[in-house]
Structures are given as structure tokens and as C-alpha cells.
Short mmCIF file of all heavy atoms in Angstrom, two decimals:
data_model
loop_
_atom_site.label_atom_id
_atom_site.label_comp_id
_atom_site.label_asym_id
_atom_site.label_seq_id
_atom_site.Cartn_x
_atom_site.Cartn_y
_atom_site.Cartn_z
N MET A 7 2.83 -4.37 -17.08
CA MET A 7 2.02 -4.63 -15.88
C MET A 7 0.59 -4.77 -16.30
O MET A 7 0.04 -3.93 -17.01
CB MET A 7 2.21 -3.44 -14.92
CG MET A 7 1.43 -3.48 -13.71
SD MET A 7 1.78 -2.13 -12.47
CE MET A 7 2.32 -0.73 -13.43
N THR A 8 -0.06 -5.78 -15.82
CA THR A 8 -1.44 -6.05 -16.15
C THR A 8 -2.35 -5.71 -14.98
O THR A 8 -1.90 -5.59 -13.85
CB THR A 8 -1.60 -7.52 -16.53
OG1 THR A 8 -1.40 -8.33 -15.33
CG2 THR A 8 -0.68 -7.99 -17.62
N SER A 9 -3.66 -5.70 -15.31
CA SER A 9 -4.59 -5.39 -14.20
C SER A 9 -4.59 -6.54 -13.23
O SER A 9 -4.91 -6.36 -12.05
CB SER A 9 -5.99 -5.14 -14.79
OG SER A 9 -6.46 -6.18 -15.50
N GLU A 10 -4.34 -7.77 -13.72
CA GLU A 10 -4.29 -8.91 -12.86
C GLU A 10 -3.11 -8.75 -11.84
O GLU A 10 -3.23 -9.07 -10.64
CB GLU A 10 -4.07 -10.19 -13.67
CG GLU A 10 -4.07 -11.44 -12.82
CD GLU A 10 -3.96 -12.71 -13.64
OE1 GLU A 10 -4.47 -12.71 -14.75
OE2 GLU A 10 -3.41 -13.67 -13.15
N THR A 11 -1.97 -8.29 -12.32
CA THR A 11 -0.80 -8.02 -11.41
C THR A 11 -1.18 -6.99 -10.36
O THR A 11 -0.89 -7.14 -9.20
CB THR A 11 0.41 -7.54 -12.20
OG1 THR A 11 0.74 -8.58 -13.19
CG2 THR A 11 1.60 -7.27 -11.36
N ILE A 12 -1.82 -5.93 -10.78
CA ILE A 12 -2.21 -4.88 -9.90
C ILE A 12 -3.17 -5.39 -8.86
O ILE A 12 -3.10 -5.10 -7.63
CB ILE A 12 -2.75 -3.66 -10.62
CG1 ILE A 12 -1.71 -3.02 -11.50
CG2 ILE A 12 -3.28 -2.60 -9.66
CD1 ILE A 12 -2.24 -2.07 -12.54
N GLY A 13 -4.18 -6.18 -9.29
CA GLY A 13 -5.18 -6.72 -8.41
C GLY A 13 -4.57 -7.63 -7.37
O GLY A 13 -4.92 -7.62 -6.20
N THR A 14 -3.69 -8.49 -7.81
CA THR A 14 -3.00 -9.49 -6.94
C THR A 14 -2.19 -8.69 -5.91
O THR A 14 -2.19 -9.03 -4.71
CB THR A 14 -2.08 -10.41 -7.74
OG1 THR A 14 -2.92 -11.10 -8.66
CG2 THR A 14 -1.37 -11.39 -6.80
N THR A 15 -1.48 -7.70 -6.35
CA THR A 15 -0.66 -6.86 -5.47
C THR A 15 -1.56 -6.07 -4.48
O THR A 15 -1.16 -5.96 -3.30
CB THR A 15 0.25 -5.89 -6.26
OG1 THR A 15 1.01 -6.64 -7.21
CG2 THR A 15 1.18 -5.12 -5.36
N ALA A 16 -2.65 -5.66 -4.94
CA ALA A 16 -3.63 -4.98 -4.06
C ALA A 16 -4.02 -5.88 -2.93
O ALA A 16 -4.17 -5.45 -1.75
CB ALA A 16 -4.87 -4.47 -4.81
N GLY A 17 -4.24 -7.15 -3.23
CA GLY A 17 -4.61 -8.14 -2.17
C GLY A 17 -3.48 -8.33 -1.19
O GLY A 17 -3.70 -8.42 0.02
N ILE A 18 -2.28 -8.36 -1.68
CA ILE A 18 -1.08 -8.52 -0.82
C ILE A 18 -1.01 -7.29 0.15
O ILE A 18 -0.77 -7.38 1.34
CB ILE A 18 0.20 -8.68 -1.62
CG1 ILE A 18 0.23 -10.01 -2.37
CG2 ILE A 18 1.46 -8.50 -0.74
CD1 ILE A 18 1.25 -10.15 -3.43
N VAL A 19 -1.21 -6.09 -0.43
CA VAL A 19 -1.13 -4.83 0.34
C VAL A 19 -2.25 -4.82 1.39
O VAL A 19 -2.01 -4.50 2.57
CB VAL A 19 -1.24 -3.59 -0.54
CG1 VAL A 19 -1.48 -2.35 0.19
CG2 VAL A 19 0.04 -3.48 -1.46
N TRP A 20 -3.47 -5.16 0.99
CA TRP A 20 -4.57 -5.21 1.89
C TRP A 20 -4.36 -6.15 3.07
O TRP A 20 -4.59 -5.84 4.26
CB TRP A 20 -5.90 -5.58 1.19
CG TRP A 20 -7.11 -5.41 2.04
CD1 TRP A 20 -7.88 -4.30 2.14
CD2 TRP A 20 -7.62 -6.35 2.93
NE1 TRP A 20 -8.90 -4.52 3.06
CE2 TRP A 20 -8.73 -5.77 3.58
CE3 TRP A 20 -7.24 -7.70 3.31
CZ2 TRP A 20 -9.52 -6.42 4.54
CZ3 TRP A 20 -8.03 -8.32 4.23
CH2 TRP A 20 -9.16 -7.73 4.86
N THR A 21 -3.85 -7.31 2.79
CA THR A 21 -3.54 -8.33 3.80
C THR A 21 -2.48 -7.77 4.76
O THR A 21 -2.66 -7.92 6.03
CB THR A 21 -3.04 -9.64 3.17
OG1 THR A 21 -4.08 -10.13 2.32
CG2 THR A 21 -2.66 -10.67 4.22
N ALA A 22 -1.42 -7.15 4.27
CA ALA A 22 -0.36 -6.62 5.10
C ALA A 22 -0.95 -5.54 6.06
O ALA A 22 -0.64 -5.50 7.25
CB ALA A 22 0.75 -6.09 4.31
N LEU A 23 -1.75 -4.64 5.51
CA LEU A 23 -2.36 -3.55 6.28
C LEU A 23 -3.39 -4.12 7.30
O LEU A 23 -3.46 -3.61 8.44
CB LEU A 23 -2.94 -2.56 5.38
CG LEU A 23 -2.01 -1.69 4.57
CD1 LEU A 23 -2.79 -0.83 3.55
CD2 LEU A 23 -1.10 -0.86 5.42
N SER A 24 -4.08 -5.14 6.94
CA SER A 24 -5.01 -5.80 7.81
C SER A 24 -4.35 -6.39 9.04
O SER A 24 -4.83 -6.37 10.18
CB SER A 24 -5.83 -6.83 7.00
OG SER A 24 -6.73 -7.50 7.87
N THR A 25 -3.21 -6.97 8.78
CA THR A 25 -2.42 -7.63 9.78
C THR A 25 -1.64 -6.66 10.65
O THR A 25 -1.66 -6.81 11.91
CB THR A 25 -1.40 -8.65 9.17
OG1 THR A 25 -2.19 -9.58 8.40
CG2 THR A 25 -0.63 -9.42 10.21
N SER A 26 -1.04 -5.71 10.03
CA SER A 26 -0.03 -4.85 10.76
C SER A 26 -0.60 -3.45 11.08
O SER A 26 0.03 -2.76 11.87
CB SER A 26 1.21 -4.69 9.94
OG SER A 26 1.85 -5.99 9.75
N GLY A 27 -1.67 -3.04 10.45
CA GLY A 27 -2.19 -1.70 10.72
C GLY A 27 -1.43 -0.61 10.05
O GLY A 27 -0.74 -0.85 8.99
N LYS A 28 -1.54 0.57 10.59
CA LYS A 28 -0.94 1.82 9.97
C LYS A 28 0.57 1.60 9.81
O LYS A 28 1.21 1.19 10.71
CB LYS A 28 -1.21 3.00 10.84
CG LYS A 28 -0.69 4.32 10.27
CD LYS A 28 -1.10 5.45 11.22
CE LYS A 28 -0.58 6.76 10.76
NZ LYS A 28 -0.99 7.89 11.64
N MET A 29 1.06 1.96 8.63
CA MET A 29 2.55 1.92 8.42
C MET A 29 2.92 2.87 7.29
O MET A 29 2.05 3.33 6.50
CB MET A 29 2.98 0.48 8.11
CG MET A 29 2.52 -0.04 6.84
SD MET A 29 3.07 -1.75 6.49
CE MET A 29 1.94 -2.69 7.51
N SER A 30 4.17 3.17 7.28
CA SER A 30 4.74 4.03 6.22
C SER A 30 4.82 3.23 4.89
O SER A 30 4.81 2.00 4.93
CB SER A 30 6.13 4.56 6.57
OG SER A 30 7.06 3.55 6.56
N ILE A 31 4.92 3.95 3.82
CA ILE A 31 5.07 3.31 2.54
C ILE A 31 6.36 2.47 2.55
O ILE A 31 6.42 1.37 2.01
CB ILE A 31 5.12 4.32 1.41
CG1 ILE A 31 3.73 5.05 1.30
CG2 ILE A 31 5.44 3.64 0.08
CD1 ILE A 31 2.52 4.15 1.11
N LYS A 32 7.44 3.03 3.13
CA LYS A 32 8.68 2.30 3.21
C LYS A 32 8.52 0.96 4.00
O LYS A 32 9.01 -0.08 3.57
CB LYS A 32 9.73 3.11 3.95
CG LYS A 32 10.23 4.28 3.11
CD LYS A 32 11.20 5.14 4.00
CE LYS A 32 11.51 6.43 3.28
NZ LYS A 32 12.33 7.33 4.05
N GLU A 33 7.84 0.99 5.10
CA GLU A 33 7.51 -0.28 5.87
C GLU A 33 6.66 -1.25 5.06
O GLU A 33 6.94 -2.42 5.08
CB GLU A 33 6.80 0.11 7.19
CG GLU A 33 7.64 0.85 8.09
CD GLU A 33 6.80 1.45 9.31
OE1 GLU A 33 5.64 1.87 9.10
OE2 GLU A 33 7.35 1.40 10.45
N LEU A 34 5.65 -0.68 4.42
CA LEU A 34 4.74 -1.49 3.59
C LEU A 34 5.55 -2.24 2.50
O LEU A 34 5.36 -3.41 2.27
CB LEU A 34 3.67 -0.67 3.03
CG LEU A 34 2.64 -1.40 2.17
CD1 LEU A 34 1.93 -2.52 2.95
CD2 LEU A 34 1.64 -0.43 1.60
N LYS A 35 6.38 -1.49 1.86
CA LYS A 35 7.21 -2.03 0.76
C LYS A 35 8.08 -3.18 1.32
O LYS A 35 8.27 -4.24 0.74
CB LYS A 35 8.04 -0.98 0.12
CG LYS A 35 8.69 -1.35 -1.14
CD LYS A 35 9.28 -0.16 -1.83
CE LYS A 35 10.00 -0.65 -3.10
NZ LYS A 35 10.62 0.49 -3.81
N LYS A 36 8.68 -2.91 2.47
CA LYS A 36 9.60 -3.95 3.04
C LYS A 36 8.77 -5.23 3.48
O LYS A 36 9.26 -6.35 3.18
CB LYS A 36 10.29 -3.36 4.26
CG LYS A 36 11.30 -4.26 4.92
CD LYS A 36 12.00 -3.59 6.09
CE LYS A 36 12.97 -4.50 6.72
NZ LYS A 36 13.65 -3.92 7.87
N ILE A 37 7.65 -5.05 4.14
CA ILE A 37 6.86 -6.17 4.61
C ILE A 37 6.33 -7.01 3.45
O ILE A 37 6.35 -8.22 3.52
CB ILE A 37 5.74 -5.67 5.52
CG1 ILE A 37 6.29 -5.26 6.88
CG2 ILE A 37 4.70 -6.78 5.71
CD1 ILE A 37 5.29 -4.60 7.81
N THR A 38 5.87 -6.34 2.43
CA THR A 38 5.26 -7.05 1.33
C THR A 38 6.27 -7.56 0.26
O THR A 38 5.94 -8.38 -0.55
CB THR A 38 4.26 -6.12 0.55
OG1 THR A 38 4.99 -4.98 0.04
CG2 THR A 38 3.09 -5.71 1.44
N LYS A 39 7.47 -7.06 0.40
CA LYS A 39 8.56 -7.43 -0.50
C LYS A 39 8.21 -7.08 -1.99
O LYS A 39 8.70 -7.75 -2.91
CB LYS A 39 8.90 -8.91 -0.38
CG LYS A 39 9.40 -9.25 1.05
CD LYS A 39 9.69 -10.69 1.17
CE LYS A 39 10.19 -10.95 2.62
NZ LYS A 39 10.22 -12.31 2.98
N ILE A 40 7.46 -6.03 -2.12
CA ILE A 40 7.17 -5.56 -3.51
C ILE A 40 8.30 -4.61 -3.87
O ILE A 40 8.55 -3.61 -3.26
CB ILE A 40 5.83 -4.76 -3.47
CG1 ILE A 40 4.65 -5.67 -3.13
CG2 ILE A 40 5.57 -4.10 -4.87
CD1 ILE A 40 3.36 -4.94 -2.81
N LYS A 41 8.98 -4.99 -4.98
CA LYS A 41 10.21 -4.28 -5.32
C LYS A 41 9.95 -3.06 -6.18
O LYS A 41 10.57 -2.02 -6.08
CB LYS A 41 11.15 -5.20 -6.06
CG LYS A 41 11.60 -6.39 -5.18
CD LYS A 41 12.73 -7.16 -5.79
CE LYS A 41 13.20 -8.33 -5.04
NZ LYS A 41 13.11 -8.37 -3.62
N ALA A 42 9.01 -3.12 -7.13
CA ALA A 42 8.71 -2.04 -8.10
C ALA A 42 7.77 -0.99 -7.48
O ALA A 42 6.62 -1.35 -7.13
CB ALA A 42 8.24 -2.59 -9.36
N ASP A 43 8.23 0.21 -7.41
CA ASP A 43 7.33 1.32 -6.88
C ASP A 43 6.04 1.42 -7.79
O ASP A 43 4.98 1.64 -7.19
CB ASP A 43 8.09 2.66 -6.90
CG ASP A 43 9.07 2.77 -5.78
OD1 ASP A 43 8.98 2.02 -4.79
OD2 ASP A 43 9.94 3.70 -5.85
N LYS A 44 6.17 1.30 -9.05
CA LYS A 44 5.01 1.46 -9.91
C LYS A 44 3.94 0.39 -9.62
O LYS A 44 2.72 0.68 -9.68
CB LYS A 44 5.37 1.51 -11.36
CG LYS A 44 5.92 0.23 -11.96
CD LYS A 44 6.27 0.33 -13.38
CE LYS A 44 6.83 -0.94 -13.98
NZ LYS A 44 7.22 -0.79 -15.35
N VAL A 45 4.33 -0.82 -9.28
CA VAL A 45 3.41 -1.88 -8.93
C VAL A 45 2.76 -1.57 -7.61
O VAL A 45 1.52 -1.62 -7.42
CB VAL A 45 4.09 -3.24 -8.91
CG1 VAL A 45 3.13 -4.33 -8.49
CG2 VAL A 45 4.65 -3.54 -10.26
N LEU A 46 3.54 -1.16 -6.60
CA LEU A 46 3.01 -0.79 -5.32
C LEU A 46 2.02 0.36 -5.37
O LEU A 46 0.87 0.30 -4.85
CB LEU A 46 4.14 -0.47 -4.29
CG LEU A 46 3.69 0.04 -2.94
CD1 LEU A 46 2.87 -1.08 -2.18
CD2 LEU A 46 4.92 0.38 -2.13
N PHE A 47 2.45 1.43 -6.04
CA PHE A 47 1.55 2.59 -6.10
C PHE A 47 0.31 2.36 -6.94
O PHE A 47 -0.73 2.95 -6.68
CB PHE A 47 2.31 3.84 -6.55
CG PHE A 47 3.17 4.40 -5.46
CD1 PHE A 47 4.57 4.20 -5.49
CD2 PHE A 47 2.62 5.06 -4.42
CE1 PHE A 47 5.35 4.73 -4.47
CE2 PHE A 47 3.36 5.54 -3.37
CZ PHE A 47 4.79 5.34 -3.39
N SER A 48 0.39 1.45 -7.97
CA SER A 48 -0.79 1.09 -8.70
C SER A 48 -1.76 0.35 -7.82
O SER A 48 -2.97 0.60 -7.82
CB SER A 48 -0.43 0.23 -9.88
OG SER A 48 0.32 0.97 -10.84
N ALA A 49 -1.27 -0.56 -6.98
CA ALA A 49 -2.07 -1.34 -6.05
C ALA A 49 -2.74 -0.38 -5.02
O ALA A 49 -3.91 -0.49 -4.71
CB ALA A 49 -1.30 -2.42 -5.34
N LEU A 50 -1.88 0.58 -4.53
CA LEU A 50 -2.48 1.56 -3.57
C LEU A 50 -3.58 2.37 -4.21
O LEU A 50 -4.61 2.68 -3.60
CB LEU A 50 -1.39 2.44 -3.06
CG LEU A 50 -0.38 1.80 -2.07
CD1 LEU A 50 0.75 2.75 -1.80
CD2 LEU A 50 -1.03 1.38 -0.78
N GLY A 51 -3.38 2.78 -5.46
CA GLY A 51 -4.41 3.49 -6.19
C GLY A 51 -5.70 2.72 -6.36
O GLY A 51 -6.79 3.24 -6.19
N TRP A 52 -5.57 1.44 -6.74
CA TRP A 52 -6.73 0.53 -6.83
C TRP A 52 -7.50 0.49 -5.53
O TRP A 52 -8.75 0.64 -5.50
CB TRP A 52 -6.18 -0.84 -7.15
CG TRP A 52 -7.17 -1.96 -7.34
CD1 TRP A 52 -8.13 -2.33 -6.47
CD2 TRP A 52 -7.28 -2.83 -8.48
NE1 TRP A 52 -8.87 -3.42 -7.00
CE2 TRP A 52 -8.31 -3.73 -8.17
CE3 TRP A 52 -6.56 -2.95 -9.63
CZ2 TRP A 52 -8.63 -4.75 -9.03
CZ3 TRP A 52 -6.95 -4.00 -10.53
CH2 TRP A 52 -7.94 -4.88 -10.22
N LEU A 53 -6.79 0.28 -4.43
CA LEU A 53 -7.50 0.18 -3.12
C LEU A 53 -8.03 1.53 -2.70
O LEU A 53 -9.14 1.59 -2.17
CB LEU A 53 -6.53 -0.34 -2.06
CG LEU A 53 -6.12 -1.80 -2.22
CD1 LEU A 53 -4.95 -2.12 -1.28
CD2 LEU A 53 -7.27 -2.70 -1.96
N ALA A 54 -7.34 2.60 -3.03
CA ALA A 54 -7.84 4.00 -2.68
C ALA A 54 -9.10 4.31 -3.44
O ALA A 54 -10.10 4.87 -2.91
CB ALA A 54 -6.77 5.00 -2.92
N LYS A 55 -9.16 3.96 -4.73
CA LYS A 55 -10.35 4.16 -5.55
C LYS A 55 -11.54 3.48 -4.96
O LYS A 55 -12.69 3.94 -5.05
CB LYS A 55 -10.11 3.77 -6.98
CG LYS A 55 -11.31 4.00 -7.89
CD LYS A 55 -10.94 4.36 -9.26
CE LYS A 55 -11.95 4.60 -10.26
NZ LYS A 55 -13.32 4.78 -9.81
N GLU A 56 -11.34 2.29 -4.39
CA GLU A 56 -12.39 1.52 -3.78
C GLU A 56 -12.76 2.05 -2.40
O GLU A 56 -13.61 1.46 -1.72
CB GLU A 56 -12.03 0.07 -3.70
CG GLU A 56 -11.90 -0.62 -5.05
CD GLU A 56 -11.61 -2.11 -4.98
OE1 GLU A 56 -11.20 -2.59 -3.93
OE2 GLU A 56 -11.79 -2.75 -5.99
N GLY A 57 -12.03 3.06 -1.90
CA GLY A 57 -12.34 3.64 -0.60
C GLY A 57 -11.89 2.82 0.51
O GLY A 57 -12.41 2.91 1.69
N LYS A 58 -10.86 2.01 0.35
CA LYS A 58 -10.38 1.09 1.36
C LYS A 58 -9.16 1.62 2.17
O LYS A 58 -8.75 0.98 3.14
CB LYS A 58 -10.02 -0.26 0.73
CG LYS A 58 -11.21 -0.89 0.04
CD LYS A 58 -11.03 -2.36 -0.19
CE LYS A 58 -12.16 -3.00 -0.89
NZ LYS A 58 -13.37 -3.16 -0.14
N LEU A 59 -8.66 2.73 1.74
CA LEU A 59 -7.40 3.26 2.35
C LEU A 59 -7.57 4.71 2.88
O LEU A 59 -8.34 5.42 2.39
CB LEU A 59 -6.26 3.21 1.41
CG LEU A 59 -5.83 1.93 0.81
CD1 LEU A 59 -4.69 2.11 -0.18
CD2 LEU A 59 -5.45 0.88 1.88
N VAL A 60 -6.72 4.92 3.91
CA VAL A 60 -6.60 6.31 4.45
C VAL A 60 -5.10 6.65 4.38
O VAL A 60 -4.28 5.82 4.62
CB VAL A 60 -7.05 6.40 5.87
CG1 VAL A 60 -6.88 7.83 6.45
CG2 VAL A 60 -8.52 5.99 6.07
N PHE A 61 -4.79 7.90 3.99
CA PHE A 61 -3.40 8.28 3.83
C PHE A 61 -3.18 9.51 4.76
O PHE A 61 -4.05 10.28 5.01
CB PHE A 61 -3.11 8.76 2.41
CG PHE A 61 -3.15 7.63 1.41
CD1 PHE A 61 -4.36 7.33 0.73
CD2 PHE A 61 -2.05 6.84 1.13
CE1 PHE A 61 -4.38 6.29 -0.23
CE2 PHE A 61 -2.11 5.81 0.16
CZ PHE A 61 -3.29 5.61 -0.49
N ASP A 62 -1.94 9.57 5.21
CA ASP A 62 -1.53 10.77 6.03
C ASP A 62 -0.01 10.98 5.76
O ASP A 62 0.67 9.99 5.62
CB ASP A 62 -1.80 10.49 7.55
CG ASP A 62 -1.49 11.75 8.39
OD1 ASP A 62 -1.66 12.85 7.87
OD2 ASP A 62 -1.12 11.55 9.51
N GLU A 63 0.37 12.20 5.75
CA GLU A 63 1.77 12.54 5.52
C GLU A 63 2.32 13.18 6.84
O GLU A 63 1.70 14.09 7.38
CB GLU A 63 1.96 13.50 4.40
CG GLU A 63 3.37 13.71 3.99
CD GLU A 63 3.52 14.53 2.70
OE1 GLU A 63 2.53 14.91 2.17
OE2 GLU A 63 4.68 14.75 2.28
N LYS A 64 3.43 12.69 7.30
CA LYS A 64 4.05 13.19 8.52
C LYS A 64 5.59 13.11 8.40
O LYS A 64 6.11 12.06 8.04
CB LYS A 64 3.59 12.38 9.77
CG LYS A 64 4.11 12.85 11.02
CD LYS A 64 3.53 12.10 12.20
CE LYS A 64 4.14 12.64 13.49
NZ LYS A 64 3.70 11.83 14.65
N ASP A 65 6.22 14.21 8.63
CA ASP A 65 7.68 14.33 8.57
C ASP A 65 8.22 13.73 7.24
O ASP A 65 9.12 12.91 7.21
CB ASP A 65 8.30 13.55 9.69
CG ASP A 65 7.93 14.14 11.04
OD1 ASP A 65 7.69 15.37 11.13
OD2 ASP A 65 7.84 13.39 12.07
N ASP A 66 7.62 14.10 6.17
CA ASP A 66 8.01 13.70 4.79
C ASP A 66 7.85 12.17 4.50
O ASP A 66 8.39 11.68 3.58
CB ASP A 66 9.45 14.14 4.49
CG ASP A 66 9.66 15.58 4.45
OD1 ASP A 66 8.72 16.33 4.02
OD2 ASP A 66 10.79 16.10 4.81
N ASP A 67 7.10 11.49 5.36
CA ASP A 67 6.78 10.09 5.11
C ASP A 67 5.25 9.98 4.89
O ASP A 67 4.51 10.69 5.52
CB ASP A 67 7.16 9.22 6.29
CG ASP A 67 8.68 8.94 6.36
OD1 ASP A 67 9.32 8.86 5.33
OD2 ASP A 67 9.17 8.88 7.49
N LEU A 68 4.94 9.12 3.94
CA LEU A 68 3.50 8.86 3.63
C LEU A 68 3.14 7.58 4.43
O LEU A 68 3.77 6.61 4.30
CB LEU A 68 3.33 8.68 2.14
CG LEU A 68 1.88 8.47 1.69
CD1 LEU A 68 0.99 9.64 2.05
CD2 LEU A 68 1.87 8.21 0.18
N TYR A 69 2.04 7.70 5.14
CA TYR A 69 1.48 6.57 5.92
C TYR A 69 0.17 6.14 5.36
O TYR A 69 -0.58 6.98 4.87
CB TYR A 69 1.30 6.93 7.40
CG TYR A 69 2.58 7.14 8.13
CD1 TYR A 69 3.31 8.35 8.07
CD2 TYR A 69 3.16 6.10 8.84
CE1 TYR A 69 4.54 8.49 8.69
CE2 TYR A 69 4.43 6.23 9.50
CZ TYR A 69 5.05 7.47 9.42
OH TYR A 69 6.25 7.61 10.02
N VAL A 70 -0.09 4.87 5.50
CA VAL A 70 -1.42 4.31 4.94
C VAL A 70 -1.93 3.33 5.91
O VAL A 70 -1.20 2.62 6.61
CB VAL A 70 -1.14 3.72 3.50
CG1 VAL A 70 -0.17 2.57 3.59
CG2 VAL A 70 -2.44 3.30 2.86
N TRP A 71 -3.32 3.20 5.94
CA TRP A 71 -3.96 2.17 6.80
C TRP A 71 -5.29 1.95 6.15
O TRP A 71 -5.73 2.71 5.31
CB TRP A 71 -4.02 2.52 8.20
CG TRP A 71 -4.76 3.78 8.58
CD1 TRP A 71 -6.07 3.81 9.03
CD2 TRP A 71 -4.34 5.14 8.58
NE1 TRP A 71 -6.43 5.15 9.27
CE2 TRP A 71 -5.34 5.91 8.98
CE3 TRP A 71 -3.10 5.70 8.27
CZ2 TRP A 71 -5.23 7.31 9.10
CZ3 TRP A 71 -2.92 7.08 8.32
CH2 TRP A 71 -4.06 7.90 8.82
N LEU A 72 -5.94 0.88 6.61
CA LEU A 72 -7.26 0.51 6.03
C LEU A 72 -8.34 1.46 6.64
O LEU A 72 -8.30 1.85 7.75
CB LEU A 72 -7.64 -0.87 6.40
CG LEU A 72 -6.75 -1.99 5.76
CD1 LEU A 72 -7.24 -3.40 6.22
CD2 LEU A 72 -6.74 -1.88 4.21
N ALA A 73 -9.30 1.80 5.74
CA ALA A 73 -10.36 2.71 6.12
C ALA A 73 -11.40 1.99 6.99
O ALA A 73 -11.54 0.82 6.92
CB ALA A 73 -10.98 3.29 4.87
#
């Protein structure tokens, strides 16, 4: 996995959240069609480090939305 792959995936994640708003990680994975957890979580980490995401845990599910 390269930083280019992570950056591209971060763009896909940002676009999905911008369009759909708050969603669970399961929903995000389904909507973006990102198959590998490590790629998805790397992209989420990239966006979180930039201060672009908010996370919340409810009923054992992790939710994310744009800050």
C-alpha cells in the first residue's frame, strides 16, 4: 500500500461522507466499495490527522462524519 493509494482512498471517503453525512464504518465500507480494512482505516487516519473527521461509538458500532 502506497501513500498515493491512501490519499486516493481518503478522497473517496471524504466524498462519500460529504454526500451522505454521518454513517457507520460498515455503511461507509459498503458505499465506497473499499474491500480492504487496512486501506479504509489508513484513509480514515489520514483524514483524522488533518482534523477533517469526527468519530463516535454507539452500540459497538463506530460512526464517522466530516468535522
